[in-house]
Amino acid sequence: MHTSIHKTLSKRCAGVLLHLTSLPCDEHQGYLGEEAYKFIDALDAMGMRIWQTLPVGPVNSSLSPYQSYSAYAGNTHYIDLKKLLQQGWLKEEEIHTNDKDDLLRISYKRFKQQDNNSIREQINQFVNSNLYWLHDYALYNIIRQKYHTPWWQWPEGLCKRHDAALNSIRAEKDLLEEQYFQQYLFFHQWYELRQYAQKKNILIFGDMPIYASHDSADVWANQQYFMLDKNSQKEFVAGVPPDYFSETGQRWDNPIYNWKKLEEDGFNWWFGRIKSQLHLFDLIRIDHFRGFLD
């Protein structure tokens, strides 16, 4: 355990659960900007030592942070646009006339026009360190934006990840690099916020869902690790039986893991996932552990 974490947890402490979407914001949800830093200041002033969040991945149409397109990627809607203004990648008037996805695309185009070797090197380092999940997520996101359907409804070559089909997407170098750029922005801003919290002796406590969403880069890229039929549909779904929380139990609708295959591969997918979460958070809560019980 990191020394600062051990020091904080060695005595009784308190914290607050507040997801980024609940921070004050001119946009439709919170972001990694000024209000996030103010919240850390407020926690410090109150003597709080922990900020607990919900998962911070990109969400599907349900907007639930527990149904994410990726167990690894960051939600780019949390990116602070003011920092992109400071880089010269956006103009003030554009922010009020474009949605965030368009603004991130504009930022990427402006970044490419600049001669900034320092940031290019940072992006290269980020990509190389995260390629084990980043490349598949970028492919998935590009294809999803093209077809606007779940991955099991894509053309068979893309659904089943045939090289001939995927190579046509891999050839779209600019689209791939744009996805990498957007993820770099999220993680760069997140690490800056976490460093600020560390200076204030505030631990960031993350939530890691046990299961992956069926329509996600994780399941699409690792179909062998999930109990899917020949049509890529779920053979079984996750949930819990009736208990004191719910008389009828809960149906989570996530695909069940193929634990035998995961074990054969040394649980590498799980190790990679935990590794990524430890880079994001000081502490991790597995949500929720009851899902592991028979």
Side-chain angles (χ1 to χ4, degrees):
M1 183 180 291
H2 193 277
T3 303
S4 62
I5 298 175
H6 178 76
K7 181 179 179 181
T8 300
L9 298 182
S10 64
K11 56 185 178 181
R12 186 174 181 177
C13 59
V16 174
L17 168 60
L18 180 95
H19 195 39
L20 286 169
T21 55
S22 297
L23 290 168
C25 183
D26 294 335
E27 304 174 47
H28 68 283
Q29 63 181 29
Y31 64 110
L32 296 168
E34 181 181 6
E35 295 298 336
Y37 288 81
K38 286 182 178 179
F39 182 65
I40 290 173
D41 290 339
L43 289 175
D44 185 40
M46 291 185 289
M48 301 287 183
R49 301 271 63 93
I50 297 173
W51 176 6
Q52 184 176 358
T53 74
L54 305 185
V56 295
V59 297
N60 62 24
S61 58
S62 73
L63 301 183
S64 168
Y66 296 93
Q67 291 293 336
S68 176
Y69 288 125
S70 173
Y72 295 86
N75 189 334
T76 56
H77 285 187
Y78 297 151
I79 292 171
D80 180 11
L81 297 177
K82 291 182 180 178
K83 293 181 180 178
L84 308 189
L85 278 172
Q86 295 168 3
Q87 292 283 358
W89 299 337
L90 289 178
K91 299 176 181 177
E92 184 74 44
E93 60 271 18
E94 292 172 333
I95 293 181
H96 306 293
T97 56
N98 293 273
D99 67 23
K100 200 151 196 175
D101 290 330
D102 287 336
L103 291 170
L104 292 175
R105 281 189 283 268
I106 292 170
S107 296
Y108 172 67
K109 291 177 180 177
R110 296 242 172 84
F111 157 74
K112 287 191 66 180
Q113 294 168 359
Q114 288 184 351
D115 185 18
N116 194 323
N117 291 329
S118 174
I119 293 181
R120 290 181 191 278
E121 180 59 29
Q122 290 178 34
I123 294 174
N124 288 337
Q125 291 178 0
F126 168 77
V127 172
N128 291 334
S129 298
N130 294 278
L131 205 57
Y132 66 99
W133 64 264
L134 182 58
H135 182 68
D136 281 323
Y137 175 71
L139 290 174
Y140 167 86
N141 220 21
I142 292 168
I143 302 168
R144 183 175 59 82
Q145 291 173 6
K146 179 178 180 180
Y147 289 101
H148 302 286
T149 60
W151 62 265
W152 55 87
Q153 295 178 9
W154 296 346
E156 183 177 5
L158 295 174
C159 171
K160 299 300 185 180
R161 295 177 56 84
H162 297 162
D163 277 338
L166 286 182
N167 285 341
S168 66
I169 308 299
R170 294 183 180 121
E172 300 282 352
K173 297 293 186 182
D174 199 53
L175 291 179
L176 282 171
E177 290 177 4
E178 182 179 354
Q179 293 294 320
Y180 297 162
F181 174 76
Q182 291 186 12
Q183 284 301 304
Y184 161 79
L185 292 179
F186 170 86
F187 281 93
H188 182 72
Q189 292 190 7
W190 177 271
Y191 292 145
E192 286 185 332
L193 181 69
R194 186 178 173 191
Q195 288 173 359
Y196 185 79
Q198 289 172 343
K199 290 178 181 178
K200 297 283 185 173
N201 199 26
I202 303 292
L203 302 179
I204 298 185
F205 192 171
D207 224 16
M208 188 177 80
I210 287 176
Y211 292 105
S213 174
H214 187 197
D215 188 14
S216 67
D218 312 289
V219 178
W220 171 68
N222 303 280
Q223 296 174 45
Q224 71 277 17
Y225 293 152
F226 298 87
M227 302 295 285
L228 304 175
D229 63 22
K230 63 180 181 180
N231 297 315
S232 304
Q233 296 303 299
K234 297 162 287 191
E235 290 186 342
F236 307 96
V237 297
V240 292
D243 58 16
Y244 41 82
F245 290 112
S246 171
E247 292 183 358
T248 58
Q250 300 175 43
R251 179 189 172 99
W252 298 342
D253 211 34
N254 305 82
I256 297 293
Y257 292 112
N258 184 338
W259 288 107
K260 183 177 180 180
K261 182 60 181 176
L262 282 163
E263 184 177 14
E264 288 175 359
D265 292 344
F267 298 103
N268 286 330
W269 184 83
W270 265 102
F271 281 119
R273 187 179 178 196
I274 292 172
K275 172 186 173 183
S276 74
Q277 296 302 292
L278 290 173
H279 286 164
L280 278 174
F281 305 109
D282 300 300
L283 305 166
I284 301 172
R285 168 184 178 264
I286 298 179
D287 183 78
H288 62 75
F289 193 80
R290 189 177 179 87
F292 273 128
L293 303 179
D294 292 331

